[in-house]
């Protein structure tokens, strides 16, 4: 990519897309093509084709998707498979047809089989049944990977696919009920500190092991891969470090400054005991994350305070 390249960041107002824009702008890329959902509905084939004909992006980061938690995924499986298939097929196909130099497609760790070995290597893809609760989403994402691979094989189109681990950071969703674990803990500990509560209840046993990557480190990896990697093989993007939910809760409490008790309740809320991506492929290419989890959480807490005005 050159500073004057025309770069389309699809989904630029989302958690990932906004981090890609920060990273690109910080590095001096000046011709970013950005459209909100309202300006360009990516599920519309005609609208996407017209946009690509008019703007001719040279590089495409495909970070737009219909995204949601377990509840949304299991309540609206038809919407998840439809919208994601449409968004990705329209963007990937138009990028190829209008002669884009390169496209990067974002998947997620839910594409891997439920019983995949841990840490999960890239070649675990399609080796077993998927987790039922987000099967529609995962099947759409797997189709996107296969679409990219097929275009490379049949037409030599430079489309790559990357699989990030769990993310957190600036612009996260801090909703009290339907947020991911880190923003949820930040909010709860912040409120408990403000109210002077002696105890915070966290769901589950605290023993499941998880991996977390700051979204600005992700964006750095995405730009690195856009600049240096061209291949059919998918690439996991993680830190390679894991910690228990209890350790995570204690770390978030420390960052927020909450000094009360943490009690674990409802063991049935645990989910899978361990989820860690094998990121050796990426590490071997020379990329590693810059932030420790504690540094990243401090940034996320500052972002939360700014978002809620606290
Ligand atoms: N967050 C994570 O922990 C995580 C982890 C691994 C992988 N990923 C992957 O990263 C990608 C982006 O996720 P994210 O967390 O950044 O999601 P997000 O915050 O929900 O952002 C998605 C963006 O896509 C846009 N979008 C959705 N439908 C659209 C449509 N029909 N037309 C135009 N724009 C549309 C959304 O706009 P509106 O909000 O206006 O609809 C939003 O700006 C996804 O592929 C996801 O699988 C995320």
């Amino acid at each position: 990519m050159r500073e004057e390249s025309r770069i389309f960041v699809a989904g630029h107002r989302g958690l990932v897309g906004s981090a890609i824009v920060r990273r690109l702008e910080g590095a001096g890329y000046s011709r970013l093509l950005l459209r909100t959902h309202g300006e360009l509905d990516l599920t519309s084939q005609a609208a996407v084709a017209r946009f690509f004909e008019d703007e001719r992006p040279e590089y495409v980061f495909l970070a737009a998707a219909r995204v949601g938690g377990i509840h949304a995924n299991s309540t609206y499986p038809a919407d998840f498979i439809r919208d994601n298939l449409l968004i990705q097929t329209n963007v990937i196909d138009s990028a190829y047809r209008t002669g884009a130099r390169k496209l990067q497609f974002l998947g997620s760790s839910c594409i891997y089989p439920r019983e995949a070995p841990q840490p999960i290597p890239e070649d675990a893809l399609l080796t077993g049944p998927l987790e039922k609760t987000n099967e529609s989403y995962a099947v759409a994402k797997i189709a996107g990977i296969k679409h990219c691979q097929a275009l490379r094989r049949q037409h030599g189109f430079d489309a790559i696919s990357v699989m990030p681990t769990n993310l957190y950071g600036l612009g996260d969703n801090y909703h009290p009920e339907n947020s991911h674990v880190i923003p949820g803990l930040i909010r709860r500990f912040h409120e408990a500190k403000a109210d002077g509560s002696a105890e915070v209840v966290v769901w589950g046993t605290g023993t499941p092991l998880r991996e977390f990557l700051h979204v600005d480190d992700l964006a750095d990896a995405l730009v690195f891969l856009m600049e240096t990697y061209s291949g059919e093989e998918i690439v996991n993007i993680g830190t390679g470090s894991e910690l228990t939910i209890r350790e995570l809760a204690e770390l978030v409490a420390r960052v927020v400054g909450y000094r009360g008790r943490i009690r674990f309740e409802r063991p049935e809320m645990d989910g899978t005991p361990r989820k860690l991506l094998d990121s050796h492929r990426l590490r071997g290419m020379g990329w590693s994350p810059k932030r420790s989890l504690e540094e990243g959480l401090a940034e996320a807490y500052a972002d939360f305070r700014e978002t809620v005005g606290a």
Side-chain angles (χ1 to χ4, degrees), residues 68-77 80 133-134 177-178:
I70 293 174
H71 179 71
N73 264 282
S74 45
T75 314
Y76 309 109
F80 275 83
T133 46
N134 54 21
E177 271 107 53
N178 56 27

Side-chain angles (χ1 to χ4, degrees), residues 2-281:
R2 292 159 291 116
E3 284 183 3
E4 63 280 10
S5 298
R6 292 186 304 281
I7 305 171
F8 177 36
V9 181
H12 74 285
R13 296 222 283 205
L15 178 68
V16 173
S18 56
I20 297 172
V21 169
R22 276 195 298 280
R23 173 68 179 75
L24 290 172
E25 285 180 343
Y29 294 99
S30 55
R31 295 180 69 188
L32 304 190
L33 302 167
L34 309 173
R35 296 290 184 278
T36 64
H37 190 161
E39 290 163 347
L40 175 61
D41 180 358
L42 297 171
T43 64
S44 162
Q45 186 184 16
V48 173
R50 201 173 324 115
F51 167 76
F52 273 83
E53 287 292 340
D54 291 347
E55 302 292 345
R56 303 258 158 187
E58 297 170 84
Y59 295 89
V60 178
F61 289 88
L62 180 35
R66 179 188 270 261
V67 175
I70 293 174
H71 179 71
N73 264 282
S74 45
T75 314
Y76 309 109
D79 296 351
F80 275 83
I81 198 162
R82 171 193 182 276
D83 284 8
N84 286 309
L85 283 172
L86 286 173
I87 291 169
Q88 68 201 36
T89 305
N90 290 340
V91 173
I92 295 168
D93 185 56
S94 281
Y96 159 63
R97 284 183 191 286
T98 56
R101 287 172 184 270
K102 187 163 183 175
L103 175 141
Q104 182 181 84
F105 174 64
L106 271 102
S108 95
S109 55
C110 71
I111 57 146
Y112 291 115
R114 199 185 48 230
E115 307 292 343
Q118 299 288 336
I120 312 175
E122 287 90 350
D123 62 11
L125 181 64
L126 289 174
T127 56
L130 297 164
E131 164 63 41
K132 275 279 169 245
T133 46
N134 54 21
E135 195 180 49
S136 288
Y137 185 77
V139 165
K141 289 287 181 189
I142 293 169
I145 295 169
K146 292 292 159 191
H147 191 176
C148 290
Q149 291 174 337
L151 278 170
R152 178 179 296 280
R153 260 183 234 173
Q154 192 179 331
H155 298 293
F157 180 52
D158 195 359
I160 61 172
S161 299
V162 301
M163 306 302 129
T165 188
N166 301 309
L167 304 171
Y168 71 98
L170 275 60
D172 221 330
N173 164 18
Y174 298 103
H175 191 276
E177 271 107 53
N178 56 27
S179 55
H180 288 137
V181 55
I182 287 183
L185 289 173
I186 288 177
R187 174 179 277 277
R188 299 234 291 291
F189 287 128
H190 174 82
E191 288 174 353
K193 184 175 93 169
D195 301 346
S197 309
E199 182 174 273
V200 165
V201 173
V202 178
W203 283 352
T205 59
T207 58
L209 284 159
R210 294 289 183 273
E211 176 188 29
F212 299 96
L213 178 68
H214 192 284
V215 73
D216 286 308
D217 277 335
L218 171 72
D220 192 60
L222 297 177
V223 171
F224 170 82
L225 288 166
M226 191 65 127
E227 286 172 340
T228 61
Y229 175 69
S230 288
E232 192 173 299
E233 311 227 314
I234 64 178
V235 182
N236 287 340
I237 308 178
T239 61
S241 314
E242 58 189 338
L243 78 176
T244 64
I245 296 295
R246 177 182 293 277
E247 289 166 334
L248 175 70
E250 289 167 356
L251 194 54
V252 174
R254 189 156 76 235
V255 165
V256 170
Y258 167 76
R259 296 190 210 295
R261 266 193 317 279
I262 305 171
R263 187 154 57 87
F264 287 87
E265 247 180 31
R266 302 189 60 192
E268 73 280 7
M269 300 301 287
D270 260 359
T272 181
R274 189 179 183 205
K275 198 162 180 197
L276 174 67
L277 289 181
D278 180 340
S279 298
H280 277 96
R281 182 170 288 164

